[in-house]
Amino acid sequence: MPKNRIQETIFTVMMVIVMVYGLVCYNIALETGGMKNFIFVAALSELPIMGLAAFILDTFIAGPIAKKKAMKLVNPKRDNPFMMVLAISVFSVLFMCPMMSFVATILFKGGFNAEMIATWLETTVKNFPMAFFYQLMIAGPFVRWIFGLIFSDKKVATEAEPQKEC
């Protein structure tokens, strides 16, 4: 997991890209009546604006709140470290899903109109199960795996270093 502010920012960018792309694909599929190949390309056009919104909301609102809530629920000294990861992930979805659904409602679903609140609530309810399971089962593990490959603490053995034989 991230060990400094630079790593935290890189991790957030990676998670935002994976989560936003997946949820944009999902929402386009909902709008078009099902998943189709064109959606993978169409989602790329929404990725920059929704990604920027997600990065800002996660960095300044949802991320800090999720970490505080997770720290109240999980004791890092006593509990398995995975429990902290799980708690942060759950709280992140809990806060990010309504906020990002609101952004999508404003930008892509009619904006400020008489039905805005109803549209936002409907969008949140439709997105929440997908965001929750996608985060816990696909995006979260995938991003943590890639992040671990990039920022591995393991020392790579070189020929200059003697290898111990068992």
Side-chain angles (χ1 to χ4, degrees):
M1 294 313 309
K3 293 182 175 36
N4 57 49
R5 186 66 190 142
I6 292 171
Q7 287 185 8
E8 180 78 27
T9 301
I10 292 168
F11 182 84
T12 300
V13 168
M14 291 169 61
M15 188 64 75
V16 160
I17 289 169
V18 173
M19 282 299 293
V20 168
Y21 183 73
L23 269 294
V24 168
C25 286
Y26 174 71
N27 277 278
I28 294 172
L30 288 177
E31 293 294 320
T32 60
M35 198 64 190
K36 297 171 182 66
N37 287 335
F38 84 90
I39 291 172
F40 296 111
V41 175
L44 294 172
S45 66
E46 291 183 26
L47 186 59
I49 187 69
M50 293 300 284
L52 179 62
F55 180 80
I56 291 168
L57 291 171
D58 186 65
T59 300
F60 298 108
I61 300 171
I65 294 171
K67 288 173 191 157
K68 284 180 188 174
K69 294 288 187 186
M71 291 297 283
K72 289 182 180 180
L73 189 65
V74 178
N75 182 340
K77 293 178 183 172
R78 181 191 68 222
D79 297 326
N80 184 318
F82 179 71
M83 296 308 290
M84 182 60 76
V85 170
L86 187 62
I88 292 171
S89 295
V90 168
F91 282 118
S92 291
V93 171
L94 187 64
F95 297 117
M96 286 296 289
C97 185
M99 290 189 296
M100 289 303 294
S101 294
F102 185 75
V103 171
T105 298
I106 299 301
L107 295 178
F108 305 110
K109 297 188 174 206
F112 295 98
N113 62 38
E115 297 297 320
M116 183 182 83
I117 299 298
T119 302
W120 169 57
L121 291 173
E122 178 184 21
T123 303
T124 301
V125 167
K126 286 180 178 178
N127 283 333
F128 189 81
M130 176 62 174
F132 183 79
F133 289 107
Y134 183 59
Q135 167 57 234
L136 294 181
M137 304 296 175
I138 298 169
F142 176 70
V143 170
R144 285 189 295 278
W145 176 67
I146 296 294
F147 185 84
L149 291 177
I150 295 168
F151 293 101
S152 176
D153 287 340
K154 296 175 186 170
K155 195 172 188 179
V156 178
T158 65
E159 294 196 24
E161 297 177 74
Q163 296 292 321
K164 290 185 180 180
E165 294 192 27
C166 297

